[in-house]
Amino acid sequence: MIILQSVLKELLEALTGLKTQMYFKSSLTALSHAMEDQILAESMLNSAPPLVIASFQRERFYRQEAHRYKRLAQKTDQVYVLAAPETSFSNYSDVYEQVAFAPQDGLAQEWHLVIITDQYSSCLVCRERQTSSKELDAANIDNSRRFEGIWSLDRQVAQTAASILLKRILKYRPQLAEKIKRAEQRYIDPVETGISPVKAQIDPFVRRLVTYLQASQYKLLKSNRSLALKETKERLLNSIIGAIRRSLDSEEILQVAVKNLGEGLGVCRCIVYRCKENDTSTQIYHEFTNPGAKSVKGKTWPLRNNPLFQEVIELRDSLSIEDTSKDPRIQTSNVPGVEQNSLQNIVKSCSIFSWLLIPLVYQDRLLGMMELHHCGPEPTSWKPEDISLVDAIANQISVALIQAEAYANLEDLNQQLEALDRTRSNLVAITGHELRTPLSTIQICLESLASEPDMSLELRQIMLNTALQDAERMRKLVQDFLTLSQLESGRVECNPEPLSLAECVDLSLSHLRSRINMGGLPQITNLVTSDLPLVQVDGEWLVEVLAKLLDNACKFTGSDGQVTIRVSRYNPQSLEVIVSDTGRGIEPNRLNQVFDRFYQEEGALRRSVGGTGLGLAICRQIVANWGGQIWAKSQGKNQGSEFHFTLPIFEANPSDSSNAFNPPAKKTRNNSKKKQKTSNS
Ligand code: ADP
């Protein structure tokens, strides 16, 4: 049988004017013991047997007190003990009556002890207050359980409570009807005995003692709660630190941090973004939202026109706003023309009621920003302990980001080292072939010249020419190698000046023709006219690029083929130079690779035409130095190739009126300055 109704409620309904009070579990234990001890202390001789009814919420609470009830039962046969069974407790008659009720019964929520003697009576009727799971988690201590109810020495209150409880006992154990009836007659509606019970009042001293007990319990509970809260926060901090330290990927660090923090603090929205101090705006990629909060992922967040962001980076400290509707920085933040991104607009569209901004800073360098939002329905104040927790987390995120950055740099350096290592091996191979072969030829030629004095003049001349050609080949390789290493280390002088492209092309072609036997050259068509706008680059380097591209085009095109050089407008600020040929072409999947150092399609050791494999790498470096681009196009093998690169157009300063009408005197190669490099042209 399950009776849901509360005994306390029944008592309060039966006796109007009773006032309930809050009791901690420890206070109820002390009061119950005191009430039981009062009976146990009385001598058998001068006291009549009392009525004792005790209702325990669970069997385990009864077990702790069972020995006392055995002793109480020696004083009276009217002892009733009620409890919800957990092991062996059941309806049973022994030295006292055991009454078992179901765990779902209303009694399982209550704590009762009623004692009535002829001289006095006392009663405790309380109901446990439902504690939220959050409170329980925070305290997680049995003594923090609270009860609400009556503790009274009033005879009428005790009798009414006893009557309600006896009626319940009768329902659970109808076979006790006789015994219960005797109890009712004896203690609740007694026939006039002539003994008038003492009109008892709770002693003010006792009352004070109980109040004191309650107050200390309350303090204990409060400090336990704050300790538990501290522990929870520490756990949160540690879990976030643990999670972000496990990763060396900044994107993952930000995502983990935002999720853990948002969940841990229970805010509506938590976002984090990377930014620099003078960024105009940023986009939100890392966000955590609790159900009900609108997502801002992908949204553009203003930074430069955002007084909150500016204040945070100036102070290098967190900024908390309890109520955005009252914050003057937000209310006056409308910048004409940027209505869309004004703070007011963001606050409204993202329902930000309370705002917390925390900078991610490492050694005074701003790495990003973390924001927490409360989205209503009411503004929420930011607790100092929450702010310091978020600050601590922000510090850890900053350290983790720096570590991730260092790791990425390390990876980059490793890749560079690997590339360097590859270059070194290539260099060994190339020197093995490109240097040793001409060197051997030179050696043989010179040895022959020295050891064969009778050699014909004609053969002598051939020997000398061969030695000279091979010496030139070696010089070229060393030259290219030095040029590239200087370009890559940034140790070259570069003097951009307004130049005529047509003049530079002419110069490169004349170098080419002077070096290569005219008979072996393909037909070269120059479509670069002199009416083009001037370009603003270093003349020597431009000629170097043109010469190398033309040299390659001729090298890889048979003498019956065609080489063309032409120009088009790439964009308003730059020209595009195209060197095309009808030669052997390039496989489409090699179009990028040809710019790698030492790349040669057939490998350095099988070359039929001379070359170092450094020419295009040098061109790429030179073009990158003036901010241009270089790329290759080809339909494939034997389909010819096209090499394109861009050149910045010289722009006369518009404020300079003399320049606006008179283009600046163009500089020719002859008046450009001497460079560090040694030109091979
Ligand atoms: P190399 O000294 O070998 O010419 P480059 O760096 O100038 O070195 O060129 C690298 C490689 O790119 C060449 O060996 C060749 O395989 C390919 N290449 C360059 N220009 C052309 C072209 N016009 N036609 C076909 N292949 C080319």
Side-chain angles (χ1 to χ4, degrees):
M1 176 192 302
I2 296 170
I3 305 170
L4 293 175
Q5 209 191 350
S6 148
V7 171
L8 175 68
K9 196 163 170 246
E10 258 186 80
L11 178 67
L12 294 174
E13 279 166 4
L15 298 173
T16 47
L18 278 183
K19 278 215 169 61
T20 60
Q21 201 191 321
M22 201 279 293
Y23 295 96
F24 287 107
K25 187 200 160 200
S26 56
S27 313
L28 287 193
T29 310
L31 282 172
S32 301
H33 281 177
M35 284 161 69
E36 291 154 7
D37 287 349
Q38 197 167 7
I39 307 279
L40 291 172
E42 271 170 12
S43 102
M44 290 283 272
L45 293 171
N46 52 20
S47 68
L51 165 68
V52 179
I53 309 172
S55 177
F56 296 89
Q57 291 172 287
R58 308 256 150 72
E59 181 183 338
R60 77 184 91 137
F61 303 136
Y62 150 73
R63 292 265 168 238
Q64 290 164 9
E65 310 293 332
H67 61 286
R68 295 175 143 260
Y69 282 84
K70 285 203 176 98
R71 281 169 57 209
L72 282 170
Q74 288 167 9
K75 305 226 167 197
T76 171
D77 65 344
Q78 286 288 353
V79 177
Y80 301 86
V81 176
L82 299 90
E86 286 174 319
T87 57
S88 57
F89 192 86
S90 60
N91 287 334
Y92 184 64
S93 300
D94 191 10
V95 286
Y96 47 80
E97 300 298 342
Q98 285 188 184
V99 183
F101 54 81
Q104 305 89 327
D105 198 286
L107 284 179
Q109 308 296 322
E110 305 199 334
W111 178 321
H112 309 306
L113 178 59
V114 180
I115 293 173
I116 301 178
T117 70
D118 287 343
Q119 281 83 26
Y120 69 90
S121 42
S122 57
C123 93
L124 196 63
V125 175
C126 292
R127 184 172 183 81
E128 183 160 7
R129 262 180 41 168
Q130 289 306 317
T131 328
S132 70
S133 59
K134 208 171 166 189
E135 258 181 285
L136 262 184
D137 273 356
N140 203 14
I141 293 161
D142 192 42
N143 275 344
S144 70
R145 290 167 56 199
R146 293 193 218 186
F147 292 78
E148 188 167 4
I150 309 283
W151 168 53
S152 169
L153 301 188
D154 188 289
R155 193 165 188 81
Q156 195 195 358
V157 176
Q159 281 175 329
T160 315
S163 163
I164 297 168
L165 282 166
L166 284 171
K167 283 198 181 75
R168 287 246 171 148
I169 294 168
L170 187 62
K171 284 190 185 147
Y172 297 123
R173 294 196 57 193
Q175 64 273 36
L176 295 180
E178 267 308 305
K179 188 167 178 177
I180 290 171
K181 197 169 171 198
R182 279 205 308 278
E184 280 171 344
Q185 284 168 355
R186 172 89 170 78
Y187 301 102
I188 297 167
D189 310 305
V191 190
E192 210 46 66
T193 56
I195 312 167
S196 49
V198 183
K199 204 113 176 91
Q201 283 286 330
I202 296 173
D203 187 331
F205 174 74
V206 174
R207 197 175 279 289
R208 207 158 291 148
L209 212 60
V210 171
T211 312
Y212 180 76
L213 194 72
Q214 294 266 97
S216 358
Q217 185 62 39
Y218 182 69
K219 272 191 204 151
L220 190 71
L221 185 72
K222 241 178 99 180
S223 54
N224 275 341
R225 272 221 188 108
S226 88
L227 272 178
L229 210 67
K230 234 174 156 180
E231 200 193 312
T232 316
K233 300 226 157 124
E234 235 153 64
R235 242 185 286 138
L236 175 67
L237 181 66
N238 287 339
S239 78
I240 296 181
I241 293 174
I244 58 180
R245 285 279 169 92
R246 274 194 292 277
S247 174
L248 282 169
D249 169 7
S250 13
E251 295 299 301
E252 193 185 340
I253 291 170
L254 297 179
Q255 198 46 46
V256 166
V258 99
K259 180 174 176 287
N260 282 282
L261 192 65
E263 272 176 357
L265 288 185
V267 287
C268 299
R269 186 185 300 118
C270 179
I271 57 174
V272 65
Y273 45 86
R274 298 294 304 262
C275 57
K276 289 194 218 74
E277 307 193 9
N278 38 16
D279 283 353
T280 321
S281 62
T282 189
Q283 262 200 316
I284 308 299
Y285 296 112
H286 302 288
E287 169 200 64
F288 171 83
T289 47
N290 264 310
K294 186 178 150 193
S295 166
V296 296
K297 222 177 200 168
K299 207 172 158 64
T300 305
W301 223 238
L303 302 179
R304 187 169 300 158
N305 290 326
N306 177 341
L308 306 183
F309 178 82
Q310 295 303 329
E311 196 171 319
V312 171
I313 57 170
E314 195 179 321
L315 299 176
R316 288 283 195 273
D317 202 359
S318 49
L319 174 70
S320 63
I321 296 167
E322 188 176 329
D323 188 348
T324 50
S325 68
K326 295 197 182 117
D327 192 276
R329 288 162 295 200
I330 296 171
Q331 296 315 316
T332 55
S333 72
N334 254 350
V335 179
V338 287
E339 174 69 21
Q340 190 58 31
N341 275 340
S342 76
L343 282 193
Q344 265 181 53
N345 210 301
I346 284 188
V347 163
K348 215 164 103 199
S349 66
C350 305
S351 316
I352 307 175
F353 280 62
S354 309
W355 205 334
L356 180 62
L357 293 100
I358 315 99
L360 302 177
V361 181
Y362 184 80
Q363 290 185 351
D364 209 39
R365 179 181 148 207
L366 183 75
L367 305 173
M369 191 72 69
M370 202 150 71
E371 295 189 13
L372 306 185
H373 306 156
H374 277 306
C375 302
E378 293 294 320
T380 318
S381 61
W382 300 100
K383 294 194 204 107
E385 62 267 24
D386 281 351
I387 298 179
S388 56
L389 174 76
V390 182
D391 271 341
I393 291 170
N395 281 339
Q396 293 302 324
I397 298 174
S398 309
V399 173
L401 286 177
I402 289 292
Q403 270 181 10
E405 229 171 64
Y407 181 73
N409 286 344
L410 205 69
E411 276 209 323
D412 217 37
L413 280 175
N414 265 340
Q415 275 170 11
Q416 283 181 29
L417 267 179
E418 276 169 23
L420 215 65
D421 202 44
R422 274 197 304 278
T423 309
R424 193 188 51 78
S425 335
N426 278 337
L427 185 67
V428 172
I430 219 108
T431 30
H433 182 261
E434 296 283 335
L435 288 181
R436 208 179 51 194
T437 314
L439 202 63
S440 314
T441 318
I442 294 168
Q443 198 176 1
I444 290 170
C445 289
L446 293 180
E447 272 171 13
S448 309
L449 285 171
S451 60
E452 307 281 345
D454 306 335
M455 194 185 286
S456 71
L457 212 61
E458 196 184 346
L459 194 59
R460 198 173 274 271
Q461 195 55 49
I462 294 174
M463 290 278 175
L464 272 172
N465 283 348
T466 313
L468 281 171
Q469 269 172 20
D470 278 12
E472 169 63 13
R473 203 169 140 195
M474 281 172 67
R475 192 193 62 79
K476 203 175 154 201
L477 174 68
V478 174
Q479 159 79 54
D480 272 4
F481 197 72
L482 283 175
T483 306
L484 185 62
S485 93
Q486 279 175 352
L487 278 164
E488 285 184 343
S489 63
R491 281 185 284 119
V492 287
E493 199 185 318
C494 186
N495 298 301
E497 51 198 352
L499 290 170
S500 153
L501 177 62
E503 271 187 29
C504 293
V505 172
D506 287 343
L507 206 55
S508 331
L509 284 171
S510 67
H511 284 321
L512 182 78
R513 288 195 176 106
S514 68
R515 277 188 299 113
I516 305 178
N517 177 4
M518 286 294 279
L521 275 183
Q523 194 191 334
I524 302 175
T525 314
N526 178 5
L527 300 177
V528 181
T529 51
S530 53
D531 55 352
L532 290 164
L534 300 182
V535 292
Q536 171 78 7
V537 289
D538 182 297
E540 284 200 27
W541 290 122
L542 174 56
V543 172
E544 184 86 22
V545 173
L546 289 166
K548 286 203 181 313
L549 294 182
L550 287 165
D551 191 32
N552 276 351
C554 294
K555 219 161 53 179
F556 299 110
T557 308
S559 53
D560 52 343
Q562 283 270 352
V563 170
T564 312
I565 177 157
R566 61 183 202 277
V567 186
S568 68
R569 188 56 95 119
Y570 181 67
N571 62 24
Q573 291 84 37
S574 31
L575 296 180
E576 180 179 343
V577 181
I578 303 136
V579 178
S580 58
D581 62 63
T582 56
R584 75 175 197 196
I586 302 167
E587 295 291 347
N589 60 343
R590 304 278 182 205
L591 288 171
N592 281 332
Q593 236 180 317
V594 291
F595 293 96
D596 288 349
R597 279 173 285 181
F598 296 120
Y599 173 82
Q600 289 183 331
E601 196 197 51
E602 61 279 76
L605 308 182
R606 290 189 289 112
R607 292 297 299 252
S608 49
V609 281
T612 58
L614 293 174
L616 289 180
I618 291 174
C619 292
R620 181 175 59 181
Q621 199 65 46
I622 296 172
V623 174
N625 276 2
W626 65 57
Q629 285 167 285
I630 184 164
W631 66 100
K633 280 184 180 174
S634 174
Q635 298 298 320
K637 224 168 176 53
N638 299 323
Q639 304 286 314
S641 323
E642 278 186 9
F643 281 84
H644 300 236
F645 70 91
T646 60
L647 276 171
I649 295 174
F650 167 74
E651 274 181 61
N653 186 355
S655 60
D656 184 349
S657 56
S658 62
N659 271 351
F661 297 99
N662 308 310
K666 63 188 179 198
K667 288 203 176 175
T668 61
R669 290 261 302 138
N670 298 338
N671 55 18
S672 59
K673 288 176 208 141
K674 185 101 187 93
K675 303 290 172 313
Q676 273 187 22
K677 74 185 173 77
T678 336
S679 173
N680 64 348
S681 45

